[in-house]
Amino acid sequence: MTPESLAALMEATWPAARCIEVGPWQVRDGQGGGQRVSATTAQGAWREGDLALAEAEMDRLGQKRLFLIRAGEADLDAALAARGYRINDPVVAYAAPVAQLAQPVSSMAAFRHWPPLAIACDLWAEGGIGPARLAVMDRVTGPKCAILGRTEDRPAGAAFVACHGKSAMLHALEVTPAMRRRGSAHNMLRAAASWAQDQGAETFALVVTEANAAARALYEAQGMVAVGQYHYRLQ
C-alpha cells in the first residue's frame, strides 16, 4: 500500500465534513469528529508565510490549530516546531491481505450490521466515540458496516469498517474495559475482514497510535505489517 493509496483510503472511509483549499493547504472541517478529520495538510510547495493562511482558516472554523505531518515533510515539521507546535499522537498504519485476516466468526461473537445498534453506540460512547464521530461514519458514502462484539453472551465492544475501491479500513475499535483481553477485539477484527472480503476488498488496513502497545501487539500477531507513519503538530 502506497502513502497515496493509504491517504485516499483514510479520506474515503473517515471523511471530514468538508475540505477547504486555502493557498497550499487543505484545511479540514471536522465538526468535532477528532484529529484526523480536523487536521490541515500541505498540498504542494509552501513558504513559511503561508502558515498564517492555514491558521486563520482553522481559527475561523473554531478548531484547534492542528497539522498532520507525513513522511517527507521534515521542513514543515521543523517550521511548526519553531512556531510552538508540539508533536501529538504519532500514528502507525498497518495493513494485510484481506484473505489473511478473514475467518468465519459466529454472529454471537461479532455481529455485522448497519446502521449501528443503540448498544454499539453506547459502547462507543463509553470510549469517547460520541455523536460527532458517529456523524463521520454517517458521511461515508461507500460500503460500510458496524461490528458488535460479544463475549460470554454480553456486549463487549464495537467497531466500524468501510471500503474504498479494493481496500477496507477499520476504525473506532473499542472494547469496554471490563471485557478486555477475552478475545473480543480479535473476533471483531476477523469479522470486519470477512465482511470486507464479501465486498470484494483485497487489502485491509487500520491506524493506531504508537503508544497503544496492546493493540499493536494484536495486529502484529495477526500478521499485519506497518505500511506508514504520521504524526500531528498541535499549537
Side-chain angles (χ1 to χ4, degrees):
M1 176 167 280
T2 67
E4 294 76 17
S5 63
L6 178 62
L9 178 60
M10 291 174 60
E11 294 283 353
T13 61
W14 198 254
R18 58 184 174 137
C19 294
I20 305 161
E21 293 188 8
V22 181
W25 312 108
Q26 185 173 71
V27 180
R28 292 171 181 79
D29 178 4
Q31 297 186 6
Q35 291 190 122
R36 202 178 316 158
V37 293
S38 305
T40 291
T41 49
Q43 296 197 102
W46 57 274
R47 295 178 295 181
E48 190 159 352
D50 294 328
L51 289 165
L53 297 174
E55 291 173 336
E57 185 63 20
M58 287 184 276
D59 291 348
R60 188 186 71 80
L61 292 171
Q63 297 184 166
K64 294 178 180 179
R65 293 181 174 184
L66 180 73
F67 287 80
L68 189 154
I69 310 299
R70 300 160 295 200
E73 294 184 328
D75 289 349
L76 176 58
D77 201 34
L80 291 170
R83 292 170 78 91
Y85 284 75
R86 62 176 175 83
I87 290 179
N88 200 49
D89 287 343
V91 170
V92 181
Y94 284 91
V98 166
Q100 177 178 306
L101 300 173
Q103 289 185 3
V105 178
S106 166
S107 61
M108 294 301 293
F111 176 64
R112 313 176 186 180
H113 62 288
W114 189 264
L117 295 169
I119 185 60
C121 296
D122 290 344
L123 289 163
W124 273 322
E126 286 180 14
I129 300 169
R133 285 176 170 82
L134 296 179
V136 176
M137 301 178 197
D138 285 338
R139 288 198 290 267
V140 174
T141 58
K144 56 188 174 182
C145 183
I147 309 290
L148 174 66
R150 294 176 59 84
T151 299
E152 298 172 3
D153 203 30
R154 293 174 55 193
F160 174 75
V161 59
C163 288
H164 175 65
K166 292 293 185 180
S167 297
M169 195 160 208
L170 183 72
H171 301 274
L173 175 63
E174 184 67 30
V175 179
T176 193
M179 304 298 284
R180 289 176 184 169
R181 301 187 184 280
R182 301 189 190 182
S184 190
H186 176 272
N187 287 334
M188 287 191 286
L189 177 65
R190 294 290 188 181
S194 180
W195 172 86
Q197 188 174 54
D198 290 346
Q199 312 310 307
E202 297 173 357
T203 303
F204 191 87
L206 53 85
V207 294
V208 61
T209 59
E210 278 187 7
N212 193 341
R216 294 181 65 185
L218 168 66
Y219 304 140
E220 290 170 5
Q222 305 310 307
M224 301 191 79
V225 298
V227 294
Q229 291 180 298
Y230 62 87
H231 62 270
Y232 298 97
R233 282 276 182 182
L234 174 67
Q235 192 177 55

